[in-house]
Amino acid sequence: MNAFMARLAIAALSATLDLAGLLPAVLHPGKRVNHALRDVRDASRGRWLERRVIESRWQSFVLQQYVLGLDESEMRVFFEERVRYEGSTWPLDERRPLILAAPHYGASGVGFLAAVHRMHRRRPINLFIDAGIPTRQLTALFEVAGLDLSRLMSGFAGSVEAARALRRGECLIMMPDVFSHGCQTLVVPFFGRLMRVAAATAFLALRTGAIVVPVFATPGANLTLRVLVDTPIDARRFAGDDDQQKIFMLTQALFARFESVFRFAPEHWHGWERLPGSSTPVDPAYRLDYDEPLRVLRAKCEALPHLVQEIPELDLIRKEHVWIRPR
Amino acid sequence: MFRHVARWFARARSVQHALETLLPAPENTLVILPSTRSALALARRLCDFRICGVTAGPITTQGIWRLARHVRAPQEIVIACTDFAELQFIVISFPDQIVGNEVTFAPIPFLGSSHWFSTFEAALVVKHRPRVYALQSDSLVQIRYDDVLHSLPDLMARLLRPLELELMDPPADWLAARCLTQKSESGVRSRMREDLKEIECLLRLHARSVGCDRLKTSTAIAAVVSRLKMLGAQ
């Protein structure tokens, strides 16, 4: 797709957004997102979100198709002239093991390429992803850019190879909000809900002392890309606790970053439709962000008495005194 | 196409036959139905003519079936009839939609593997000894249970046998496939695993709170993690 056709495609959608509103939900991602958010507390919803979602998805798709049509030299020009980097880009120049943690947000595939370009292509790139997730588009993007991309499958062998790659100083790309199997997940708070997420990012970061850099790439209307490189999360600062607690805390910190960006611009995240299926709401009488977790835990235990019977240690926690933090 | 038309006529006839059997009977009965569109339509017709209590579940509570005024939780039905020798209304139960593994549920062999079903129907039968009917192969059959009253698993198996036979070759309009998967042993383990993961998350958040009893919290976390490993989650 050349630049003219890409701009025409974007302009066509902008001109027909009102007509697009007549599409049924099966063809309108904005309506599906709006519907998925109906049970999410404090979620921004409405017609404006529907329009922005379909606009974002279309712009991301067109941008990706446009970049796929470039050759290597044109792509360098694209990254120099059409990509705006924001945030602290110094982590990309770090020599330490580096994990780029990008959610499925906006034009994430092109965003990975932009981040690699910003690192002046100094490091070999590895993509660590679940075996069940298709990566054809991402692989094609890297091929067009003339970059070697090693694909590592999740699982024991893939994790070992990923750790080795990090220790060699290579870069690892991961998408912590994308997984195909719910078994190897842990639960963290996210938008006031308890959401299942992949634990591999935190696991590899702690094993290798890597820095985790959240990256968000959002498309612009004129075939531009905005890449936000968020403040890195240093795995070395999670010291003192046992491994499982460190994995939980690092994952929670990472998803807290995701949440803050998604609250500001929710239309770009591709995971809203999955959120009701991959998370559970907290009892409406409580809030994970305000309440002490103990109060939420008590409500959970009262709703699941058979679990408390099986695990008597939970009963001791239920009876623990609740310290009410003054607000 | 002819098979579908023939099936439609058979269903319509079976609904009519069921209404002719159930409506004139002076006593209130227990009716055990699969969660199919035609059975839900039968329940709706019954509710039009007699006072009925329909067990609440993820399917019967959907507005499309217009059963909202008649839907009650199983415990509510039991409590409403507890002071009386007989059922106070026709009880229509859809056991395949009700998911749980608390003390009011029991595992019984069903479709070749263990599934957790509510003991609600058995409790009503033991207390009130009503006539029990079930839908099987588009016809209403009466379930005899006098010889199995001494054993809860046998009684439950007897009451659910027509449902089991019906679901060996599930009708095209059966709506509770996902619910039945959650009632299986693997479904119950999966739900327990997810509940424990959430409890682990809350415990780990609590471990960082000021004033947290670290010994109790770390002990509880260790117990939950150990249980998760047994369930194959870590």
Side-chain angles (χ1 to χ4, degrees), chain A residues 196 252 280 300 310, chain B residues 194 197-198 204 208 227:
Chain A
R196 279 109 190 107
Q252 188 206 356
T280 51
K300 192 86 185 159
E310 285 202 33
Chain B
E194 296 307 313
K197 278 188 194 174
E198 291 174 9
R204 292 194 183 280
R208 298 165 54 194
R227 192 76 175 88

Side-chain angles (χ1 to χ4, degrees), chain A residues 193-205:
Chain A
R193 298 170 71 94
L194 297 170
M195 186 163 100
R196 279 109 190 107
V197 302
T201 308
F203 175 80
L204 287 168

Side-chain angles (χ1 to χ4, degrees), chain B:
Chain B
M1 181 185 163
F2 289 117
R3 205 169 51 157
H4 287 309
V5 171
R7 193 84 201 254
W8 184 86
F9 273 112
R11 289 250 170 85
R13 205 174 58 220
S14 74
V15 167
Q16 189 57 34
H17 168 68
L19 288 172
E20 286 167 3
T21 305
L22 295 170
L23 289 178
E27 74 275 16
N28 292 311
T29 53
L30 169 63
V31 186
I32 300 175
L33 301 175
S35 298
T36 59
R37 290 181 201 277
S38 50
L40 288 157
L42 168 62
R44 186 72 193 89
R45 295 284 301 277
L46 272 173
C47 292
D48 285 340
F49 293 107
R50 294 276 293 265
I51 299 174
C52 296
V54 180
T55 51
I59 293 169
T60 49
T61 48
Q62 291 174 14
I64 188 174
W65 309 116
R66 294 180 293 132
L67 292 168
R69 283 194 303 120
H70 312 281
V71 157
R72 306 186 197 196
Q75 304 92 293
E76 288 178 34
I77 295 175
V78 170
I79 290 170
C81 301
T82 197
D83 290 334
F84 304 92
E86 294 178 349
L87 291 177
Q88 295 301 292
F89 37 78
I90 293 179
V91 177
I92 306 173
S93 174
F94 294 89
D96 52 350
Q97 59 157 354
I98 298 176
V99 175
N101 64 327
E102 300 91 40
V103 292
T104 53
F105 285 73
I108 60 162
F110 192 85
L111 293 176
S113 61
S114 182
H115 285 71
W116 288 75
F117 279 91
S118 172
T119 55
F120 159 74
E121 293 86 9
L124 282 184
V125 160
V126 167
K127 176 93 167 67
H128 304 286
R129 309 290 173 94
R131 284 199 195 185
V132 181
Y133 292 94
L135 208 59
Q136 182 191 325
S137 302
D138 294 332
S139 56
L140 204 67
V141 297
Q142 185 174 354
I143 303 174
R144 310 273 181 204
Y145 52 79
D146 293 324
D147 57 322
V148 289
L149 281 171
H150 59 280
S151 163
L152 177 65
D154 291 343
L155 177 60
M156 287 179 67
R158 179 71 61 84
L159 293 174
L160 295 173
R161 181 67 182 155
L163 179 67
E164 185 180 11
L165 291 172
E166 186 75 4
L167 296 183
M168 279 182 182
D169 182 19
D173 62 342
W174 183 46
L175 303 169
R178 185 181 287 188
C179 298
L180 195 68
T181 306
Q182 292 177 352
K183 292 162 78 67
S184 63
E185 280 291 346
S186 60
V188 166
R189 285 168 65 92
S190 173
R191 274 208 332 279
M192 186 180 290
R193 188 178 61 227
E194 296 307 313
D195 287 335
L196 284 173
K197 278 188 194 174
E198 291 174 9
I199 288 178
E200 184 192 356
C201 167
L202 294 169
L203 284 169
R204 292 194 183 280
L205 286 172
H206 176 55
R208 298 165 54 194
S209 304
V210 174
C212 151
D213 186 325
R214 302 222 174 266
L215 181 59
K216 279 185 193 170
T217 307
S218 58
T219 306
I221 291 174
V224 169
V225 168
S226 167
R227 192 76 175 88
L228 275 169
K229 280 184 181 160
M230 285 170 58
L231 291 169
Q234 294 189 353

Side-chain angles (χ1 to χ4, degrees), chain A residues 17-91:
Chain A
L17 265 179
D18 288 331
L19 277 178
L22 299 173
L23 291 172
V26 68
L27 295 173
H28 195 305
K31 290 187 177 178
R32 294 198 300 272
V33 167
N34 217 13
H35 182 72
L37 288 177
R38 70 192 185 285
D39 292 327
V40 177
R41 197 185 276 174
D42 300 338
S44 304
R45 292 179 63 217
R47 292 291 299 276
W48 67 270
L49 181 64
E50 289 180 11
R51 293 165 67 97
R52 283 212 209 163
V53 165
I54 196 171
E55 214 168 21
S56 166
R57 302 257 174 121
W58 182 244
Q59 285 172 356
S60 301
F61 170 75
V62 169
L63 183 67
Q64 188 162 282
Q65 296 305 307
Y66 167 67
V67 171
L68 276 171
L70 301 175
D71 61 30
E72 200 173 322
S73 58
E74 287 171 334
M75 200 175 285
R76 287 176 194 267
V77 171
F78 170 80
F79 289 131
E80 293 299 327
E81 295 179 2
R82 295 196 162 273
V83 176
R84 187 175 88 244
Y85 295 92
E86 295 180 11
S88 37
T89 54
W90 61 263

Side-chain angles (χ1 to χ4, degrees), chain A residues 91 93-97 122-123 169:
Chain A
D93 300 323
E94 271 281 309
R95 280 301 175 198
R96 284 177 53 192
R122 274 198 293 258
R123 305 199 203 202

